[in-house]
Amino acid sequence: MELIGEIQDIIYRNEINSYTVATFETDEESTVVVGYLPFVGSGDSIKVEGKFVEHREYGRQFKVDTFEKLLPQTEAAIEKFLANGNIKGIGAATAKKIVKRFGQETLHILKDDPMKLSLISGISTKKAKEIGEEFIQNWEVWQLVGFLDKFGIGAEQAKKVFDLLGANAKEQIEENPYILIDIARGVDFAQIDKMALDLGISYDNEKRISSAVKYALIRSTYNGHACVQKQNLIDYVAQLIDVSSENVEDALINLKAKEEIVIEKRSEKEEYVYLQDFYQVEDEIAFRIKRLQKAKNVKKVNNLSKLLEKVQENSNIELSEKQKEAVNLVNENNVIIITGGPGTGKTTIIKTIIDIYESQGKKLVLTAPTGRAAKKIAETTGREALTLHRLLEIGKIDEEGMYKHNDYEGAPIDADLIIVDEMSMVDMFLMSYLLKCIYQGTKLILVGDVDQLSSVGPGSVLKDLINSGEVVTIHLDKIFRQAAKSKIILNAHRVNNGESFIPKGEKFVDEGTNEDFFFIRENSQEKVLEQVISLCTGRLQKYGNYDFFSSIQVLSPTKKGMLGTKELNKALQQALNPNTQHLPEKTSNGAIFRQGDRVMQIKNNYDIYWEKEGEDGQTIAGSGVFNGEIGTITQISEKEKLVEVLFDDQKTAWYEFSELDQIEHSYAITIHKAQRKRIWRSNNGSSAIFANATN
């Protein structure tokens, strides 16, 4: 259904995603429209497509699927449109003057002959030109936003598309919709394809098939893949757009000839297809690693054995032979990988390396891919640690820019040794940026567990480097005595080895082993949810001081579904922090944030201000809250439009309402988020309880 009319008033607008509730007047009636309407304000004439729905509380509404911004027709509408601040340089008074002078020709003047505006008192020729340019650009962007919404492309990306294509962007896309595959991420290929077919493009058109291939390759990167098996790619594309395998083969040949893809033959039967950029990044990583390896070992220390003995004595520790071997290999090589599961002594090796090399005046840099991982290694070593993004000064690069590796030129890192912890979470682009910034002769130590979840971005750098056999690698497999007292650690290694959990009462387990691991079987998701709520709301207290807000963290492998973090957070919030006392709350992006809620920062923010009390009682101020940090909402102020969060490290940060997309509830978090986070806060040690729906 289509309606044409004028926005009378904005009742509500989400500042983050532009979800809007507005009164809307057509020639026939006045109604309420709801939907995503970026850049739309009161006085705007728009065409909307959608349907009327009945809201149980607010009654009849028109739900907008797509919209198009129209030029206002009447003088009153034109004046209102200009007075709303749509055009920089035109306020209410200026709008009145312009419409009084040009009437219904006003918008034509703005678009085609803006210099005539200088005839009006107070508008110089320079200002007239600027207003005209502003109008044309904004108008084209507005048109493009509404148009691209059909393809699942939001306002922010629409602006980027406009910046890339320039004037007549809409016309260019209508002529060849497939160009969106190359310039916009997350596009709805099915919508693009439908539009192209409607425009008369044939099923076997080479542009169509080539675009489908690139779409499939781009989509695979969202799942962490740098390349795809050729035959799997052919089968997927052929099914996606209903063409023959031969057609897809021909498209691959053409794309290869244009140097848009690379086809790598790894064996007689196996071929892999890369987007050109991704192949170049892999090749660059290999080249730079080899160059580092071949460089002269100028950072090597003398008398290592004596230095090692001294460090062990001062630290009151005794390294295993494998750990000593790791320290020696670091000294003898410029690039080395230290890998092993939990409890195998990786952190002890890092601390030992730091102590040895610092005693010899060497400068070390500690880094990790996430804010929480960097914070953890800093706490365990007592040294400063930076995220890779901060170290490489790429925190401001947007998601698309992260994939334009040739544009990155970072400053060299001033260090003798660089230690990267949690290497399993480093993607191929982040690795390439790091290698670009390392001086020849610098030692690079990569530490991680290949059995942990891999990076969110494309590529499994740590695993691939190990499997290549080209980088010196030390595998730690001994579980140290202290760690071996935990069934959590023991079971982690059993799972990695393809074994089942330790049965309760297993005889071979040491008597001193902690009963800190429990597995609960249930026959339905509903029962699992009941168990989780029961455990979190008091059932665990009889086993120790397990208060939820200080000692318990719920983990889930997924965000979606009844047992995903989204639904778990809703259920746990209702159980643990219900609004029975009319606590202050703020709704943002569909989530209700309430005073007392547990929340987590979900992206690195280097600028957010915080304060905390120092040991001397003085206030310490700083900036930066990082992905994975957990805290509690202590205040919500409607007057100041601020949410106050007290984080677990006792710093207090303040979020404007427009910044609430940076936090989410943390009653339950994904396992991926939980990696290397201090989520167990009890002084009595940690326990793990697993609930599983068996059907």
Side-chain angles (χ1 to χ4, degrees):
M1 186 177 187
E2 181 182 288
L3 297 178
I4 296 176
E6 183 179 299
I7 297 291
Q8 296 298 304
D9 188 35
I10 303 295
I11 301 171
Y12 166 80
R13 167 163 286 149
N14 186 305
E15 298 168 0
I16 299 167
N17 61 12
S18 297
Y19 181 83
T20 303
V21 180
T23 54
F24 184 68
E25 189 167 317
T26 70
D27 291 339
E28 288 79 29
E29 65 175 326
S30 180
T31 188
V32 172
V33 293
V34 297
Y36 298 96
L37 298 169
F39 303 121
V40 170
S42 56
D44 286 346
S45 298
I46 61 172
K47 178 172 69 176
V48 294
E49 292 183 9
K51 61 182 178 181
F52 280 102
V53 296
E54 194 70 28
H55 193 280
R56 62 183 180 182
E57 186 173 349
Y58 300 112
R60 186 170 180 258
Q61 299 177 335
F62 189 85
K63 186 179 180 182
V64 178
D65 293 325
T66 63
F67 80 97
E68 182 180 346
K69 203 164 181 178
L70 305 174
L71 288 170
Q73 300 300 312
T74 66
E75 290 186 16
I78 294 170
E79 183 179 333
K80 190 175 181 182
F81 166 77
L82 295 177
N84 276 338
N86 284 299
I87 308 298
K88 187 179 178 182
I90 301 180
T94 304
K96 193 174 189 69
K97 288 181 185 178
I98 294 172
V99 176
K100 186 178 179 179
R101 177 66 185 262
F102 298 110
Q104 291 193 352
E105 289 294 305
T106 295
L107 297 180
H108 167 71
I109 296 294
L110 287 169
K111 185 174 181 290
D112 300 320
D113 199 5
M115 297 309 294
K116 283 187 177 180
L117 295 173
S118 62
L119 298 173
I120 297 172
S121 174
I123 300 179
S124 65
T125 54
K126 182 182 178 183
K127 187 176 180 180
K129 183 181 178 183
E130 290 173 348
I131 289 173
E133 290 173 348
E134 179 81 6
F135 177 81
I136 292 171
Q137 178 170 321
N138 283 356
W139 182 253
E140 290 188 353
V141 171
W142 298 331
Q143 293 295 301
L144 193 62
V145 166
F147 176 68
L148 291 182
D149 186 62
K150 301 174 184 178
F151 306 108
I153 299 173
E156 189 175 347
Q157 280 220 75
K159 179 64 167 63
K160 291 179 182 178
V161 170
F162 178 83
D163 291 340
L164 287 167
L165 295 180
N168 304 314
K170 182 181 174 185
E171 288 77 9
Q172 292 180 64
I173 295 167
E174 286 176 326
E175 185 178 338
N176 178 19
Y178 296 115
I179 61 175
L180 290 171
I181 299 295
D182 295 321
I183 63 176
R185 290 174 60 82
V187 297
D188 186 338
F189 180 82
Q191 290 278 39
I192 292 173
D193 194 42
K194 182 179 182 302
M195 179 180 178
L197 293 171
D198 290 344
L199 290 169
I201 290 178
S202 63
Y203 267 69
D204 59 356
N205 183 281
E206 193 273 329
K207 283 184 181 177
R208 178 175 185 254
I209 303 171
S210 293
S211 296
V213 169
K214 288 189 283 187
Y215 165 76
L217 289 170
I218 293 168
R219 188 179 177 201
S220 74
T221 68
Y222 300 159
N223 296 319
H225 303 297
C227 58
V228 179
Q229 274 194 328
K230 182 181 174 182
Q231 191 56 53
N232 290 345
L233 177 64
I234 291 171
D235 293 344
Y236 175 83
V237 173
Q239 185 176 3
L240 176 69
I241 59 175
D242 193 21
V243 296
S244 69
S245 297
E246 289 76 15
N247 288 144
V248 183
E249 284 266 22
D250 290 341
L252 290 174
I253 293 169
N254 290 332
L255 287 168
K256 184 180 178 182
K258 294 176 185 175
E259 296 185 346
E260 292 185 51
I261 66 169
V262 174
I263 302 176
E264 183 182 71
K265 192 168 185 176
R266 297 185 183 177
S267 69
E268 286 299 319
K269 295 184 178 179
E270 282 191 333
E271 289 182 292
Y272 286 81
V273 183
Y274 292 79
L275 288 166
Q276 181 74 23
D277 270 5
F278 286 74
Y279 184 83
Q280 287 177 356
V281 170
E282 274 203 0
D283 193 54
E284 185 177 280
I285 290 171
F287 170 77
R288 292 184 181 274
I289 287 282
K290 286 183 177 180
R291 192 168 67 174
L292 277 176
Q293 289 174 316
K294 292 177 181 178
K296 188 175 179 181
N297 189 359
V298 295
K299 308 301 181 183
K300 182 178 180 180
V301 299
N302 299 318
N303 301 315
L304 179 65
S305 58
K306 289 184 179 180
L307 293 171
L308 183 55
E309 286 179 16
K310 188 176 180 180
V311 167
Q312 289 182 105
E313 184 180 338
N314 293 339
S315 304
N316 196 26
I317 60 171
E318 185 176 348
L319 271 64
S320 70
E321 290 303 314
K322 212 66 174 289
Q323 288 176 313
K324 291 177 183 177
E325 183 186 353
V327 175
N328 185 64
L329 287 171
V330 167
N331 200 41
E332 296 297 328
N333 296 275
N334 287 336
V335 184
I336 179 174
I337 295 171
I338 301 171
T339 185
T344 55
K346 297 188 298 294
T347 302
T348 301
I349 294 172
I350 292 174
K351 290 168 70 176
T352 302
I353 290 168
I354 291 171
D355 288 342
I356 288 174
Y357 283 86
E358 282 189 343
S359 73
Q360 299 302 295
K362 306 294 186 183
K363 185 174 181 179
L364 286 92
V365 168
L366 281 175
T367 185
T370 68
R372 288 295 291 183
K375 185 176 178 181
K376 179 65 176 178
I377 194 64
E379 290 171 348
T380 56
T381 63
R383 304 315 196 271
E384 181 188 27
L386 302 174
T387 66
L388 280 165
H389 291 81
R390 174 167 278 188
L391 175 66
L392 302 173
E393 299 181 342
I394 56 175
K396 304 299 183 184
I397 294 180
D398 62 27
E399 188 178 4
E400 294 208 23
M402 291 289 289
Y403 293 88
K404 301 182 188 300
H405 72 285
N406 290 325
D407 295 341
Y408 176 73
E409 293 294 336
I413 301 168
D414 181 19
D416 297 305
L417 288 86
I418 299 171
I419 300 175
V420 185
D421 197 24
E422 295 296 345
M423 222 359 251
S424 67
M425 292 189 281
V426 177
D427 66 43
M428 58 194 293
F429 286 90
L430 204 51
M431 186 65 176
S432 85
Y433 299 155
L434 173 63
L435 291 170
K436 283 184 178 182
C437 299
I438 297 178
Y439 283 117
Q440 297 305 298
T442 301
K443 288 184 179 292
L444 178 63
I445 301 111
L446 309 176
V447 185
D449 179 1
V450 291
D451 292 314
Q452 286 194 16
L453 294 176
S454 58
S455 64
V456 175
S460 300
V461 178
L462 179 65
K463 189 175 182 180
D464 289 346
L465 286 175
I466 293 172
N467 290 340
S468 73
E470 296 293 325
V471 181
V472 174
T473 302
I474 183 99
H475 295 267
L476 305 173
D477 50 17
K478 178 185 176 183
I479 307 174
F480 284 86
R481 191 171 181 180
Q482 186 176 356
K485 295 295 183 181
S486 168
K487 278 192 176 180
I488 298 174
I489 300 294
L490 293 173
N491 278 317
H493 285 271
R494 287 176 69 94
V495 170
N496 286 341
N497 295 329
E499 301 170 354
S500 61
F501 297 143
I502 300 170
K504 192 173 181 179
E506 183 70 41
K507 292 180 180 179
F508 72 81
V509 177
D510 293 342
E511 289 184 9
T513 301
N514 297 324
E515 287 292 337
D516 54 7
F517 183 98
F518 305 89
F519 191 88
I520 302 172
R521 296 183 184 274
E522 288 292 353
N523 59 7
S524 71
Q525 293 188 55
E526 290 82 1
K527 289 287 186 181
V528 171
L529 182 58
E530 288 177 13
Q531 289 274 16
V532 170
I533 293 173
S534 174
L535 289 163
C536 293
T537 55
R539 185 172 149 196
L540 285 173
Q541 288 189 351
K542 65 181 181 180
Y543 298 103
N545 187 27
Y546 291 118
D547 170 68
F548 180 87
F549 290 93
S550 62
S551 311
I552 299 172
Q553 179 65 62
V554 177
L555 307 180
S556 175
T558 182
K559 291 184 178 182
K560 298 179 180 179
M562 180 181 290
L563 299 178
T565 56
K566 190 173 181 179
E567 293 302 320
L568 281 169
N569 273 312
K570 289 180 183 178
L572 289 166
Q573 182 193 42
Q574 181 59 33
L576 294 160
N577 191 34
N579 202 6
T580 54
Q581 301 179 12
H582 304 289
L583 297 168
E585 57 183 34
K586 173 65 180 174
T587 300
S588 176
N589 245 6
I592 299 172
F593 292 104
R594 185 175 299 143
Q595 184 177 306
D597 277 345
R598 294 291 285 167
V599 294
M600 178 173 62
Q601 180 78 11
I602 59 173
K603 60 177 73 172
N604 290 333
N605 185 329
Y606 299 92
D607 302 320
I608 194 163
Y609 177 79
W610 56 259
E611 293 179 356
K612 67 184 296 184
E613 185 177 321
E615 294 181 1
D616 57 359
Q618 298 295 312
T619 299
I620 302 171
S623 64
V625 180
F626 303 112
N627 184 9
E629 292 199 57
I630 291 175
T632 302
I633 294 176
T634 49
Q635 287 187 38
I636 297 176
S637 172
E638 279 289 346
K639 183 180 178 180
E640 297 178 354
K641 298 189 182 306
L642 288 176
V643 173
E644 180 183 280
V645 178
L646 174 64
F647 286 95
D648 289 349
D649 61 358
Q650 298 307 301
K651 68 174 178 241
T652 298
W654 291 267
Y655 294 80
E656 296 180 5
F657 284 176
S658 61
E659 297 175 314
L660 292 180
D661 63 329
Q662 299 185 35
I663 60 172
E664 63 183 27
H665 290 104
S666 64
Y667 296 96
I669 64 177
T670 63
I671 293 172
H672 199 285
K673 283 287 187 185
Q675 287 187 98
R676 295 291 285 176
K677 296 174 176 50
R678 288 189 306 147
I679 57 177
W680 311 112
R681 295 175 288 276
S682 171
N683 293 326
N684 300 323
S686 306
S687 295
I689 300 172
F690 290 77
N692 178 51
T694 57
N695 65 340

